[in-house]
Amino acid sequence: MEHIRIPYAAQLTNGAGIELLLAERPGSTDQYLLGSFASATFDDNYANPHAPTSIVLPSDAAHAAGLVTGTFLPAYEQAVHERLLAAVEAAHGRLKELHATWTAIQHSGRYSDGTRLDPATLGHTQQQYLEEGSVEWRRLRPHAAALLSRVRPVAGAEDSASLDRLHQLLHPDVAEPSWPAAPSSPPALQPCTAEILRRWRTGAPALLRQAHATRPVGPASTVRPALPAAGAAAPALPGDRVGRTPRGR
């Protein structure tokens, strides 16, 4: 689309967050290109390293559907999971570094260069810490909520309890979380406090541990036809906007 004009294309969606783009392959009369739109929590999507590679679909419907369900959608799920995981890990690391810096200043009463802080300056520094932490929290929260909706505890009650507490932190208006949690955007941000950041630092390792443990399985090594033999009812591709029923994986 960047280099060649695409005269016709169709947006495919399953109504649960997956959005694909189907276009005629330039220079071909019987092949199509299938690519993906970014996950809703991201807006910096150009040339992202986690984006799944688009694929060429043949004109044969059974073969095309098999490639979509056996190759492209598993790659798409992997890409979304890995991108969310990378974003949450990076933001969590920045919050940990910020907290470590503030804790060292608080305990020593000095900046890293040895400059002593008076009580007024120390209070101002604490406010700066909260402001910087709030910026990171605003970036982190939608990604953390999306990642949390994709994991199921697999390592015992300790992680289950931690994930429940994280769900309450990310979704304070939801009384009882379910697993897997329904994918949804977190409500409007409440003012960030040191307690919120402490609760995140405490629960984040469980989320990251489970997100690593529950990585989606990648594309199948062999692709089976996803459509039945002629004469049987044909299932749809992953949901679209031309009257076909969304099909689950």
Side-chain angles (χ1 to χ4, degrees):
M1 293 182 69
E2 180 179 358
H3 301 290
I4 300 175
R5 181 175 178 269
I6 303 295
Y8 302 104
Q11 183 180 0
L12 312 179
T13 177
N14 69 345
I18 296 179
E19 291 185 297
L20 310 179
L21 185 69
L22 181 70
E24 293 180 341
R25 188 182 188 187
S28 173
T29 59
D30 60 356
Q31 291 182 323
Y32 301 86
L33 296 177
L34 186 73
S36 65
F37 289 98
S39 177
T41 57
F42 292 96
D43 56 10
D44 52 334
N45 299 309
Y46 187 79
N48 185 270
H50 295 289
T53 302
S54 59
I55 62 172
V56 177
L57 297 179
S59 58
D60 178 75
H63 189 193
L67 288 173
V68 172
T69 58
T71 299
F72 190 80
L73 287 180
Y76 175 91
E77 291 294 336
Q78 268 193 325
V80 172
H81 192 93
E82 293 300 327
R83 189 175 185 191
L84 288 170
L85 180 55
V88 172
E89 284 185 321
H92 178 57
R94 289 190 292 268
L95 283 174
K96 286 176 61 180
E97 291 176 4
L98 191 60
H99 175 68
T101 300
W102 160 244
T103 300
I105 292 173
Q106 188 179 33
H107 287 170
S108 67
R110 298 174 181 271
Y111 285 119
S112 57
D113 62 2
T115 304
R116 182 176 293 278
L117 284 76
D118 57 40
T121 307
L122 189 62
H124 178 69
T125 302
Q126 182 181 24
Q127 184 60 36
Q128 284 183 315
Y129 156 69
L130 286 176
E131 289 175 359
E132 292 180 35
S134 294
V135 171
E136 289 296 341
W137 177 244
R138 283 194 296 271
R139 294 171 180 164
L140 164 67
R141 192 168 176 234
H143 304 324
L147 186 63
L148 182 60
S149 73
R150 301 173 67 87
V151 306
R152 178 191 297 271
V154 296
E158 182 180 356
D159 275 354
S160 297
S162 295
L163 294 181
D164 285 346
R165 288 190 291 269
L166 270 184
H167 191 279
Q168 292 167 3
L169 178 65
L170 296 166
H171 300 273
D173 298 329
V174 179
E176 292 293 335
S178 59
W179 298 105
S184 62
S185 298
L189 273 173
Q190 69 268 41
C192 187
T193 64
E195 175 61 14
I196 287 176
L197 297 180
R198 184 199 66 77
R199 289 171 63 189
W200 166 257
R201 290 193 308 273
T202 300
L207 173 59
L208 296 175
R209 185 163 50 247
Q210 295 303 328
H212 278 282
T214 58
R215 279 185 160 110
V217 177
S221 57
T222 58
V223 178
R224 299 179 181 179
L227 297 181
L237 289 179
D240 57 25
R241 294 180 176 173
V242 292
R244 291 188 287 191
T245 303
R247 180 174 185 268
R249 289 180 51 205

